[in-house]
Amino acid sequence: MTLSNENSKHFIDLLYSTITRMSSNSANCKKALIGILTVLTALVQSKVLPITALVVAAVLVIAFYLIDSYYLYLEKNFRWMEGVFAESLLSDEKKASELLYDFDYGHYKQEKVKGKPIPSKEKNFGQALISFSTWPFYLAMMAIIACSFAVNWKEMKDAEQAQQAQQTEQTSYITYKEQDGETILI
């Protein structure tokens, strides 16, 4: 495909819109998780669901964390691709025409952006996992689940102890013995 200003602009627009879409997907992961956790913790607090539902919530947090990190990873890949293409437009038109409409990150392996080599896919995913835009949010969600679990666990244990005390009290007053026409409470 021949390289023209219109084709170059269109390709950069495609990359940019993909980056924007990945970013909004990442934000939507966080919004969806907040909604799901709100419902789950409310149902556990109101005793509609058992406390074990919070384990499901923790698994969901981990799943959403991985999905969110994946979207961030893809966003980073497309940012690197955009940077390589933009620099090649300025310095090497032949390379730019080869990269035009090429969305395969593997073809960008040996390239550099602003003098820095672009990272491998594995390194990009690792960086997405430890990114400040992912782990603090999901760590906070896990802390909320842990607090909810602790509160519910304590309430459950207190209720069990109160029920046992009440049963013990009731059973000690239930036994009656009649002796010589008199009722004796044992």
Side-chain angles (χ1 to χ4, degrees):
M1 179 168 278
T2 60
L3 186 65
S4 70
N5 284 343
E6 187 177 309
N7 285 340
S8 299
K9 183 181 178 332
H10 183 252
F11 183 54
I12 288 175
D13 286 345
L14 283 174
L15 288 170
Y16 184 74
S17 67
T18 305
I19 291 166
T20 304
R21 201 166 45 244
M22 293 301 116
S23 178
S24 66
N25 286 346
S26 185
N28 288 338
C29 280
K30 290 175 176 79
K31 288 179 197 174
L33 182 65
I34 288 172
I36 291 169
L37 289 184
T38 301
V39 169
L40 278 175
T41 54
L43 290 174
V44 169
Q45 293 288 28
S46 63
K47 310 294 187 249
V48 173
L49 288 177
I51 194 171
T52 54
L54 293 174
V55 174
V56 172
V59 170
L60 286 173
V61 169
I62 293 168
F64 274 87
Y65 169 65
L66 292 173
I67 292 168
D68 191 1
S69 295
Y70 182 71
Y71 284 131
L72 181 59
Y73 151 78
L74 290 175
E75 180 185 337
K76 286 176 177 266
N77 286 352
F78 283 107
R79 284 186 189 280
W80 282 107
M81 291 166 63
E82 180 185 33
V84 168
F85 183 74
E87 280 191 8
S88 64
L89 274 176
L90 298 173
S91 63
D92 188 358
E93 199 170 303
K94 183 178 183 248
K95 184 193 316 180
S97 64
E98 290 172 6
L99 295 175
L100 188 63
Y101 297 114
D102 185 0
F103 291 98
D104 185 0
Y105 189 74
H107 295 156
Y108 292 78
K109 270 187 205 174
Q110 306 301 321
E111 303 300 328
K112 293 181 179 187
V113 175
K114 296 182 182 175
K116 295 180 186 176
I118 66 170
S120 67
K121 286 182 174 184
E122 296 79 17
K123 186 173 181 181
N124 259 354
F125 189 68
Q127 289 173 343
L129 284 172
I130 61 171
S131 172
F132 196 69
S133 68
T134 54
W135 70 263
F137 174 80
Y138 293 98
L139 186 63
M141 295 298 106
M142 288 299 267
I144 289 170
I145 291 170
C147 290
S148 182
F149 187 84
V151 166
N152 282 301
W153 184 264
K154 184 174 179 348
E155 286 176 2
M156 187 176 74
K157 288 300 177 188
D158 290 346
E160 283 177 5
Q161 287 175 349
Q163 187 179 19
Q164 283 177 343
Q166 185 179 15
Q167 284 175 348
T168 304
E169 187 177 306
Q170 286 175 350
T171 56
S172 65
Y173 292 112
I174 291 179
T175 309
Y176 293 95
K177 187 175 184 185
E178 254 188 67
Q179 189 176 28
D180 299 330
E182 282 187 44
T183 304
I184 302 172
L185 185 63
I186 302 176

